[in-house]
Amino acid sequence: MFQNITLVIPLLPLLAFAIIVLFTRNNNRTSALVAILGILASMAISYGVFTEALSEGHELAQHPFYGAPIVWAPFGNSTIEFGWFIDPIGAVMLFMVPTVCLMIFIYSVGYMRHTHVDEHGHHHSQDDPRYARFFAYISLFASMMLLVVVSSNLLEFFIGWEVMGFCSYALIGFWSFRGRQERHIDEAQVGRARAASIKAFLTTRVGDILLMSGMILLFITAGTLDFTKMFDPTTLNEMLLGESPLLGWTWPTLIALLIFGGTIGKSAQFPLHVWLPDAMEGPTPVSALIHAATMVSAGIFLVIRMFPLFVFASATGGQAMEVVAIVGAFTAIFAATMGLAQNDIKRVLAYSTISQLGYMLAALGIGAFVAGSFHLITHAFFKALLFLAAGSVLHAVGTNDMFKMGGLWRKMPITFITFLIGALSLMGIPPFAGFWSKDEILLEALREGFFHEGVPLTLVQFVYICLAAAAFLTALYTGRQIFLTFFGKPRDEHAYAHAHESPAWMWAPLAVLAVFTTFLGLWNTPFLPEFFRFVGEGGLLGLAEAFAHTEFDVLAQVSMVASVGIGLSGFLTAWAIYGFRPVAAGQPDPLARLGILWRALVNKYWLDELYGYKINLDGTAQPGLLIRFFGALSRAAYWFDRTIVDGLVNLGGWIGRALASLWGAFDTYVVDGIVNATGSTTGEMAGWWRKIQTGNVQNYALIAAAGAMAVAILFLLRSFT
């Protein structure tokens, strides 16, 4: 029953957005209630579809819920239709997205109410001046992510994808202007938010252009963008016909890599990762939405949805899967190193997100579809928990700087416990959800890279080494975050004095997310692999074979012990550096002894200075060398156009005008002069001859006689001579 109204799922938050914008925008509480009711109703229908999907079991993979009742655009013999497509992983996404979004929406009710202290020391609370607008934006954001999940074709998917890009721009830059009465932000925050929103929008557009190019080529070669038709073996084989414009590349490989370009931008993978850390300038609920339920999850879900194309590209001699694995594995360890050197509590989590997304892509690249998909789901819950708990901290102390915190576990016990649960899950410590998903990825890489029969698979070995090293660094920077924030003595007495536990609107969602983070991983344990049975046993549409089940053998047990050991060793290292002797007020970071390496990490390897857009704490921003180079190239091209090209055009115009003037003078004074002189002479002669035309016959006879006499006289004179 519910599957037939699947399209209503994204429409309900969209309706909430419209109601807030048109009717309730002047009433903050009503706007918040409308947004919450919209996502709650959407969640109810999503749960209905999810329940029906579970009843179908793994058969849903080959016979998904599908409907395309709206004929959207005809193209010759084919049409693009608007509808829904729900397979097992899509059904699980319908469970995850509205659940996480609802928790964030409820949390936002309290978070978007700011407290300030006046000159007399009195506390005052007031709603953000753009409170209703915020709830309108996040409703639209959630609606478009749900549209991405249920889309029946890639063009419908792309619409939700692009509107999410606008929502991220609007919400990252939510505080990019400041009213006279706003005390919770300053001009530096305004400048950073404005620059960060532009940086995010333009960086992700690079990936979107690649994605759109891949979609165009896919439609040209396959003749369809519909998921049920696109992954038909006959359609996939037709893509092999014709020569690719790139020598040695098949069409499936080229198209798959272009589509993957969209994921690199949206999911902030190297080298387009530079926008995500600066996106922390938006309100913390926005950070949670972007990092957990929407924006970056959409990039991973794109690869999951298009996974049959990537597999087909590799099966026909392409390197699409290998590229996905390399980019993911490198990004995982690359981002983890930068997370070590961040003092902003939210930026540490931002680099953590980039790293964990790399885990998911590395898993998908080596063919561990179920492990990568499960990590996407578990990560959404524990990363939302971490961001909201971090927001609870900064909402209480008024700063993002961990070196101005310390000892907060006494003041904020609920926030501390929930943050610790999320952190342990991120570090991969059992029994929390992150352990079960991350360990399975490491096991798949270990098995395929080091214990695969035949020639050693050096690529998968590289993937495992990168992911294992990233797991250690993840535990290290997460432990550093815990000890700097919650333990030791307060390093800012003023901030500590004003710290307090968050209101129920904020800690209640933390508690719910903590429960999911604790128990969700049990859905895919070696003893109860229900997630695998649902998502993996049926394979995928276009891939008739089921995915391989991960055996809980001796190697799996060794891998489990190793992954836990890696996580614990990273956490113990963090304790030895930051917990055993807590950092005191004014003391530099102990890792600063690393010298040039530390400066490289603090400056994010100077990539913003190289090709990005560096945003300073004071709100100023400077483009990197590559942007400045292209800016200089553009200015040089502008000068060449205005000076040389326009000069030559203007010279040609001046010569044309000069020749036209000369021809005009010649025409006026010579041609017209001759014509006018001829006319004037003729006129004068006509005037003279007109005088003898009297109309009197006698005059004419007299003239004729005189003429005859003159002729006679001339004749006689000639005779005499």
Side-chain angles (χ1 to χ4, degrees), residues 179-514:
R180 293 181 179 179
Q181 302 302 319
E182 291 188 68
R183 298 180 177 87
H184 60 284
I185 57 175
D186 54 22
E187 292 303 324
Q189 169 73 51
V190 169
R192 294 196 304 271
R194 183 183 301 117
S197 63
I198 295 172
K199 181 178 182 179
F201 188 80
L202 295 180
T203 305
T204 54
R205 291 290 76 71
V206 176
D208 291 356
I209 290 173
L210 296 175
L211 170 58
M212 187 168 61
S213 301
M215 289 171 54
I216 293 171
L217 292 179
L218 180 60
F219 188 74
I220 292 173
T221 55
T224 182
L225 295 177
D226 190 286
F227 294 128
T228 59
K229 301 173 185 175
M230 183 194 311
F231 299 140
D232 181 85
T234 303
T235 304
L236 291 173
N237 286 324
E238 287 178 354
M239 294 174 62
L240 295 173
L241 302 176
E243 294 184 1
S244 170
L246 296 178
L247 186 63
W249 288 35
T250 62
W251 279 114
T253 301
L254 177 59
I255 293 170
L257 291 178
L258 287 172
I259 289 174
F260 180 58
T263 294
I264 290 177
K266 210 71 159 184
S267 293
Q269 297 296 284
F270 180 84
L272 299 181
H273 66 283
V274 293
W275 69 271
L276 193 57
D278 290 311
M280 299 303 96
E281 299 301 337
T284 298
V286 174
S287 302
L289 271 176
I290 290 175
H291 289 254
T294 57
M295 191 80 170
V296 298
S297 297
I300 305 299
F301 186 67
L302 174 63
V303 177
I304 290 174
R305 178 58 75 224
M306 300 299 295
F307 195 71
L309 175 62
F310 284 86
V311 173
F312 182 73
S314 293
T316 53
Q319 304 296 317
M321 297 278 283
E322 289 81 352
V323 172
V324 173
I326 291 171
V327 170
F330 175 76
T331 304
I333 188 171
F334 182 71
T337 60
M338 290 184 283
L340 284 173
Q342 304 303 311
N343 295 338
D344 186 317
I345 188 172
K346 288 170 62 178
R347 286 178 185 263
V348 175
L349 297 177
Y351 282 107
S352 166
T353 298
I354 298 172
S355 181
Q356 296 305 304
L357 296 172
Y359 264 90
M360 300 170 204
L361 289 177
L364 294 171
I366 63 174
F369 178 85
V370 176
S373 300
F374 191 54
H375 197 53
L376 172 64
I377 303 302
T378 60
H379 175 266
F381 284 97
F382 69 70
K383 188 52 62 70
L385 173 61
L386 285 169
F387 264 108
L388 297 186
S392 177
V393 170
L394 64 92
H395 192 267
V397 301
T399 179
N400 293 19
D401 191 348
M402 294 186 296
F403 277 78
K404 294 182 180 179
M405 300 177 188
L408 291 178
W409 73 269
R410 302 179 187 88
K411 288 286 193 83
M412 310 179 69
I414 298 176
T415 299
F416 166 66
I417 292 172
T418 54
F419 189 94
L420 182 62
I421 290 173
L424 292 173
S425 183
L426 173 62
M427 288 187 285
I429 304 300
F432 301 102
F435 163 74
W436 299 106
S437 55
K438 182 185 287 187
D439 178 69
E440 187 174 355
I441 294 174
L442 290 171
L443 172 59
E444 293 285 353
L446 179 65
R447 191 187 301 276
E448 291 295 320
F450 294 90
F451 296 92
H452 192 275
E453 295 181 1
V455 181
L457 302 177
T458 54
L459 170 63
V460 187
Q461 292 173 0
F462 167 79
V463 169
Y464 178 79
I465 293 170
C466 287
L467 297 186
F472 174 83
L473 295 174
T474 298
L476 176 56
Y477 66 65
T478 304
R480 172 180 180 266
Q481 191 176 32
I482 292 172
F483 291 118
L484 287 176
T485 303
F486 295 103
F487 290 94
K489 294 181 178 180
R491 287 177 291 277
D492 188 321
E493 292 295 340
H494 178 75
Y496 183 79
H498 290 89
H500 56 84
E501 188 57 84
S502 298
W505 280 106
M506 295 173 65
W507 66 254
L510 294 180
V512 173
L513 290 171

Side-chain angles (χ1 to χ4, degrees), residues 91-161:
V92 177
M93 290 290 289
L94 283 181
F95 164 76
M96 179 272 285
V97 173
T99 304
V100 175
C101 285
L102 177 63
M103 296 301 105
I104 294 171
F105 280 35
I106 295 172
Y107 177 95
S108 300
V109 173
Y111 187 87
M112 295 306 290
R113 187 168 179 81
H114 310 298
T115 301
H116 70 277
V117 181
D118 61 19
E119 60 274 12
H120 304 294
H122 299 139
H123 290 258
H124 300 275
S125 296
Q126 62 181 10
D127 291 339
D128 190 282
R130 294 172 290 280
Y131 191 96
R133 179 185 298 184
F134 177 83
F135 279 94
Y137 282 157
I138 62 175
S139 293
L140 181 61
F141 210 166
S143 171
M144 292 301 104
M145 181 61 192
L146 290 168
L147 178 62
V148 163
V149 172
V150 304
S151 293
S152 65
N153 64 75
L154 198 53
L155 184 57
E156 184 181 346
F157 187 108
F158 189 67
I159 291 175
W161 177 282

